[in-house]
């Protein structure tokens, strides 16, 4: 079952729009139509550290009379793929024919500049490496269109200490490069964000500025929409039905339906009265979960079944590399509520000791209800292929009465996934982390597979035999950007699908399973051919990383579920900073460190329809704003 976000149409209470500013808390300052006198400066910079994660485009904005406040929670929004794959001294500028451009050095040590085109300072295209000199390294570039020359002037500092200017008509080729007088970047008159270096400042037009802030500033709960007054006669009051949901409003213009609890004392007064006007007070509610939710359970998966129960499964860990148990079984919990899963009995429904075709390592199980039958998709290794001969396998709950919580109802052997005959790639290499989803009557699986880096692949399946592919698999994504790798490991894995509006989103995790682990997304139009990789777009920065979390590190391998009110939740694992969780645990963040704990966060959808994973409970529902009323007028019966 894949969560599809419900749509509601009731009005809700409107609170006063509050402005929050604070560099430490990184709170968004809402941009309003009368903000014509604001300083709409944007700071472009890289961070200290000289890694592909830090030497990338970061942006900050400057509220009036404030220091620069980082956007995107201090994370980069653009990672270079050319040259050294590290950016230095980024500089934004206006292009002659409309839109904007970005120029940056090749890590302050190359012979050229990285150049990008952008219409909105949010999405960048046309990455190219423009060589300015064969002899001198380029530093601190500044680009400006010169109307007299009808060309762009790129001024820069050479590694020899001299100043140069390069002329280009089209930012594709260089007409000439020559020495020039000293030049200066625009002075920056405010404090920079922590760790920022090689910064420059740029002022786009106000509309572009507002859109940029709306996209990358933290989203805040600002109140509720107004509920319509209700007028009843005395006979009708017994039939009074108050809304069971209200629409919360947010600083970017987005909204979210939330359940309501009405004040029972106010309702009692109304029902006792014969006439008059009454204000019924209400509060919204959002479920909050223990953090961690379930300890030492990585790759968590929660789903709500057609039977009304919630089910939880995850990887069962090893504690240290010499642990004779762990990564050897499929566990399952069941409860009527999500919170109930935390204390629910955990049963083992499959164990590699009972299978003659499978052995360690058992990773990332997911339980799905497909055409009325329960299945678990997980990864194990075939004895013939060795312990690292990892492949996806599927078991069915097709015995006994079909109750999935009973181990005896699950088949013991299972089925390794089978590619179509023409597919010479699928399941030929180390492959794992399979997920399932249904869309517009078709059934699909996505999984991760090598060789080389761990890439994401997709294929359609036969829902009656979900281990059988019905199409050749295609590659959806491969690791490219600086946040998708660490050391020698280039990783895309752990896919999970959620839908909203006209988009299908496939979240995935990247890099290694330590503090570098993070979550991003691919997305496609809902009516597109999902088996055509050209229809999928990768978000080129992570949506959830260690930088977004206090006391947690390495968030990833998520699933999606819905709470009791139909609102989407992100179920993921993350380590607790500084924790060594028990004997045999070296706290090294590796595969045999069991300290990856299951956790739950709300999912929000921004005004542009994109998912947001890093909002705090307060940003979703601010306790200080959690109050609203509906006015009920009771007329006497005539």
């Amino acid at each position: 079952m894949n969560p599809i976000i419900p749509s509601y149409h009731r009005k809700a209470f409107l609170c006063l729009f509050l402005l929050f500013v604070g560099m430490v808390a990184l709170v968004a300052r809402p941009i309003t139509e009368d903000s014509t006198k604001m300083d709409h400066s944007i700071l472009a910079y890289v961070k200290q550290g000289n890694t592909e994660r830090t030497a990338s485009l970061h942006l900050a904005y400057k509220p009036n009379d404030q220091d620069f406040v980082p956007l995107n929670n201090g994370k980069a929004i653009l990672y270079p793929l050319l040259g050294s794959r590290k950016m230095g001294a980024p500089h934004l500028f206006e292009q002659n024919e409309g839109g904007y451009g970005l120029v940056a050095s090749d890590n302050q040590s190359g012979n050229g500049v990285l150049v990008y085109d952008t219409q909105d300072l949010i999405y960048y295209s046309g990455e190219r490496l423009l060589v300015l000199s064969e002899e001198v390294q380029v530093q601190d570039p500044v680009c400006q269109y010169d109307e007299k020359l009808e060309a762009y002037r790129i001024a820069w500092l050479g590694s020899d200490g001299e100043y140069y200017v390069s002329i280009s008509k089209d930012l594709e080729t260089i007409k000439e490069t020559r020495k020039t007088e000293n030049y200066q970047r625009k002075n920056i008159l405010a404090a920079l964000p922590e760790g920022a270096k090689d910064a420059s400042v740029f002022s786009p037009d106000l509309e572009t500025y507002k859109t940029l802030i709306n996209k990358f500033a933290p989203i805040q709960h600002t109140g509720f929409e107004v509920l319509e007054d209700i007028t009843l006669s005395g006979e009708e009051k017994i039939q009074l039905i108050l809304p069971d949901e209200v629409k919360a409003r947010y600083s970017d213009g987005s909204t979210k339906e939330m359940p309501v609890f009405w004040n029972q004392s106010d309702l009692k007064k109304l029902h006792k009265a014969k006439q008059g006007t009454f204000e019924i007070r209400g509060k919204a509610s959002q479920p909050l979960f223990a953090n961690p939710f379930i300890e030492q359970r990585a790759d968590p998966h929660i789903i709500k079944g057609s039977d009304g129960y919630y089910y939880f499964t995850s990887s069962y860990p090893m504690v240290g590399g010499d642990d004779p148990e762990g990564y050897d079984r499929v566990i399952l919990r069941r409860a009527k509520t999500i919170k109930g899963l935390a204390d629910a009995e955990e049963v083992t429904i499959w164990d590699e000791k009972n299978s003659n075709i499978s052995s360690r390592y058992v990773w990332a199980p997911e339980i799905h209800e497909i055409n009325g039958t329960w299945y678990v998709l997980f990864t194990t290794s075939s004895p013939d292929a060795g312990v690292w001969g990892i492949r996806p396998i599927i078991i069915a709950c097709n015995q006994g009465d079909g109750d999935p919580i009973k181990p005896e109802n699950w088949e013991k052997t299972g089925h390794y996934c089978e590619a179509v005959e023409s597919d010479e790639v699928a399941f030929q290499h180390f492959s794992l982390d399979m997920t399932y989803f249904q869309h517009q009557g078709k059934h699909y699986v996505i999984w991760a597979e090598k060789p080389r880096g761990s890439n994401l692949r997709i294929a359609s399946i036969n829902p009656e035999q979900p281990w059988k592919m019905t199409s050749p698999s295609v590659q959806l994504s491969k690791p490219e950007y600086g946040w998708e790798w660490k050391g020698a490991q280039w990783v895309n894995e752990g896919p999970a699908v959620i839908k909203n509006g006209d988009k299908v989103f496939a979240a995935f995790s990247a890099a290694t399973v330590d503090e570098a682990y993070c979550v991003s997304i691919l997305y496609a139009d809902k009516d597109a051919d999902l088996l055509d990789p050209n229809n999928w777009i990768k978000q080129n920065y992570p949506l959830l990383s260690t930088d977004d979390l206090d006391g947690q590190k390495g968030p990833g391998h998520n699933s999606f579920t819905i709470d009791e009110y139909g609102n989407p939740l992100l179920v993921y694992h993350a380590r607790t900073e500084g924790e060594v969780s028990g004997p045999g645990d070296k706290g090294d963040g590796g595969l045999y460190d069991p300290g990856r704990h299951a956790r739950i966060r709300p999912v929000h959808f921004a005004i542009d329809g994109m998912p947001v994973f890093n909002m705090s409970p307060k940003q979703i529902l601010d306790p200080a704003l959690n109050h609203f009323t509906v006015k009920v007028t009771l007329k006497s019966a005539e």
Side-chain angles (χ1 to χ4, degrees):
M1 180 183 296
N2 297 291
I4 301 176
I5 311 309
S7 175
Y8 302 95
H9 302 285
R10 299 185 182 100
K11 292 187 177 180
F13 184 77
L14 175 63
C15 288
L16 294 176
F17 194 82
L18 304 183
L19 303 182
F20 296 88
V21 178
M23 183 172 179
V24 175
L26 304 184
V27 177
R29 178 180 186 273
I31 306 302
T32 56
E33 291 299 327
D34 59 353
S35 303
T36 55
K37 296 182 180 181
M38 69 170 59
D39 177 357
H40 47 100
S41 297
I42 296 297
L43 188 78
Y45 63 98
V46 298
K47 280 188 173 181
Q48 299 169 5
N50 196 31
T51 69
E52 288 190 19
R53 288 197 177 204
T54 59
S56 46
L57 179 63
H58 296 70
L59 298 179
Y61 80 117
K62 184 178 179 295
N64 286 339
D65 302 320
Q66 301 285 329
D67 295 330
F68 279 103
V69 176
L71 291 169
N72 200 30
N73 210 23
K75 304 191 300 287
I77 68 163
L78 178 66
Y79 295 78
L81 297 176
L82 300 178
S84 66
R85 296 172 54 93
K86 296 178 183 178
M87 184 181 295
H91 179 262
L92 295 165
F93 62 95
E94 290 186 12
Q95 291 194 350
N96 178 48
E97 295 182 354
Y100 303 96
L102 169 69
V103 64
S105 73
D106 184 9
N107 199 33
Q108 299 286 68
S109 59
N111 296 104
V113 291
L114 296 161
V115 182
Y116 304 82
D117 306 309
T118 175
Q119 292 297 313
D120 52 15
L121 306 185
I122 297 172
Y123 301 100
Y124 295 77
S125 62
E127 182 184 36
R128 51 210 183 268
L129 182 60
L130 192 57
V131 175
L132 305 186
S133 171
E134 298 292 346
E135 295 83 21
V136 182
Q137 295 173 339
V138 178
Q139 301 171 3
D140 300 334
V142 171
C143 186
Q144 186 176 14
Y145 186 76
D146 188 318
E147 293 185 355
K148 292 183 179 180
L149 293 177
E150 296 184 341
Y152 292 94
R153 297 169 54 92
I154 305 174
W156 49 280
L157 172 65
S159 56
D160 58 0
E162 299 288 343
Y163 295 94
Y164 295 84
V165 62
S166 299
I167 307 300
S168 175
K169 289 281 188 180
D170 54 8
L171 295 176
E172 300 280 352
T173 58
I174 296 298
K175 180 179 180 181
E176 65 169 321
T177 293
R178 53 180 169 79
K179 290 184 179 180
T180 187
E181 299 290 332
N182 184 7
Y183 76 96
Q184 289 185 343
R185 289 185 162 200
K186 185 177 179 181
N187 289 334
I188 300 174
L189 303 178
L192 303 184
E194 182 179 357
K197 71 169 191 172
D198 299 341
S200 66
V201 67
F202 174 70
S203 295
D205 67 74
L206 184 57
E207 286 303 314
T208 299
Y209 176 83
K210 289 160 57 177
T211 302
L212 181 68
I213 304 307
N214 225 31
K215 175 66 177 177
F216 288 121
I219 299 173
Q220 302 287 342
H221 174 221
T222 59
F224 301 92
E225 287 191 356
V226 175
L227 288 167
E228 291 183 351
D229 296 346
I230 299 173
T231 300
L232 299 170
S233 68
E235 291 85 356
E236 293 175 323
K237 70 176 181 179
I238 194 144
Q239 300 177 353
L240 172 64
I241 299 177
L242 295 175
D244 56 8
E245 289 174 329
V246 291
K247 187 172 289 185
R249 299 179 65 92
Y250 295 89
S251 55
D252 70 332
S254 59
T255 61
K256 184 184 186 80
E257 298 285 350
M258 306 193 83
V260 178
F261 292 92
W262 295 104
N263 185 285
Q264 294 301 305
S265 175
D266 292 348
L267 290 175
K268 288 179 180 179
K269 290 179 182 179
L270 173 66
H271 284 293
K272 289 180 180 180
K274 294 184 178 180
Q275 64 179 11
T277 298
F278 304 84
E279 287 193 346
I280 311 300
R281 294 168 293 174
K283 287 182 177 291
S285 174
Q286 68 164 332
L288 298 176
F289 304 95
N291 185 12
F293 180 62
I294 301 177
E295 293 189 346
Q296 295 191 1
R297 292 296 179 265
D299 314 325
H301 181 84
I302 296 178
I303 192 169
K304 188 174 185 179
S306 61
D307 57 4
Y309 283 97
Y310 284 95
Y311 292 86
F312 171 91
T313 187
S314 69
S315 295
Y316 185 87
M318 293 175 64
V319 182
D322 56 355
D323 188 348
E325 302 292 329
Y327 297 143
D328 60 351
R329 68 196 69 180
V330 176
I331 57 93
L332 189 65
R333 301 184 184 200
R334 180 169 73 178
K336 276 293 188 180
T337 65
I338 294 177
K339 288 184 179 181
L341 291 169
D343 300 316
E345 179 187 3
E346 185 172 278
V347 299
T348 297
I349 62 170
W350 185 92
D351 194 304
E352 56 93 13
K353 298 180 182 66
N354 300 322
S355 172
N356 59 5
I357 66 169
S358 302
S359 58
R360 281 175 162 184
Y361 286 94
V362 177
W363 286 332
E366 293 192 5
I367 182 169
H368 292 278
E369 202 172 6
I370 305 174
N371 278 13
T373 299
W374 286 102
Y375 296 91
V376 172
L377 294 61
F378 59 101
T379 293
T380 185
S381 56
S382 166
D384 296 337
V387 70
W388 297 112
I390 299 294
R391 301 292 186 274
I393 192 171
I394 297 178
I395 58 173
C397 184
N398 56 10
Q399 307 295 313
D401 62 5
D403 185 348
I405 204 65
K406 297 178 180 178
E408 63 269 23
N409 289 342
W410 291 90
E411 58 184 355
K412 298 298 184 289
T413 301
H415 310 267
Y416 281 105
C417 290
E418 302 173 15
V420 298
E421 186 175 353
S422 61
D423 189 342
E424 298 181 355
V425 178
F427 317 123
Q428 298 301 305
H429 313 90
F430 186 100
S431 43
L432 71 166
D433 293 357
M434 179 172 281
T435 194
Y436 158 84
F437 71 102
Q438 181 181 358
H439 183 62
Q440 295 185 346
K442 297 180 180 179
H443 302 257
Y444 302 89
V445 289
I446 305 176
W447 70 95
E449 182 162 1
K450 295 184 177 182
R452 297 178 293 277
S454 177
N455 310 316
L456 296 181
R457 303 191 69 81
I458 187 173
S460 60
I461 62 165
N462 175 2
E464 299 302 325
Q465 295 178 305
W467 54 89
K468 291 187 176 182
M469 308 298 108
T470 57
S471 72
S473 65
V474 296
Q475 180 175 286
L476 284 188
S477 175
K478 66 179 181 180
E480 302 170 279
Y481 300 107
W483 49 271
E484 295 180 281
W485 68 277
K486 181 182 176 183
Q489 297 190 50
W490 296 69
V491 177
N492 286 175
E493 64 181 18
V497 172
I498 190 170
K499 306 173 191 178
N500 181 54
D502 62 354
K503 293 289 189 292
V504 177
F505 298 96
F508 66 94
S509 298
T512 47
V513 292
D514 51 19
E515 78 286 343
Y517 214 43
C518 56
V519 180
S520 192
I521 56 167
L522 302 157
Y523 58 95
D525 290 338
K526 67 176 183 179
D527 296 322
D529 178 2
L530 300 184
L531 296 178
D532 183 349
N534 294 318
N535 290 332
W536 291 86
I537 298 172
K538 179 191 288 187
Q539 188 76 280
N540 66 354
Y541 54 86
L543 297 189
L544 186 68
S545 67
T546 298
D547 294 332
D548 294 307
L549 303 170
D550 293 329
Q552 301 176 41
K553 61 181 183 179
H557 203 121
N558 74 280
S559 61
F560 295 104
T561 191
I562 53 174
D563 65 21
E564 289 82 349
Y565 305 103
N567 288 317
L569 299 171
L570 181 84
V571 184
Y572 68 105
H573 73 238
R575 302 181 187 277
T576 298
E577 190 172 0
E579 177 187 76
V580 176
S581 55
D585 176 12
K586 298 179 181 179
D588 58 3
L591 187 62
Y592 306 119
D593 173 355
R596 294 181 291 168
H597 306 313
R599 306 173 194 260
I600 301 176
R601 301 180 63 82
V603 174
H604 184 72
F605 287 97
I607 188 64
D608 60 1
M610 301 296 283
V612 183
F613 299 152
N614 62 354
M615 289 178 69
S616 69
K618 181 180 179 182
Q619 289 172 328
I620 293 287
L621 178 60
D622 188 340
L625 302 178
N626 190 12
H627 50 80
F628 45 85
T629 62
V630 60
K631 184 180 292 185
V632 179
T633 298
L634 187 62
K635 294 183 177 180
S636 60
E638 298 180 357

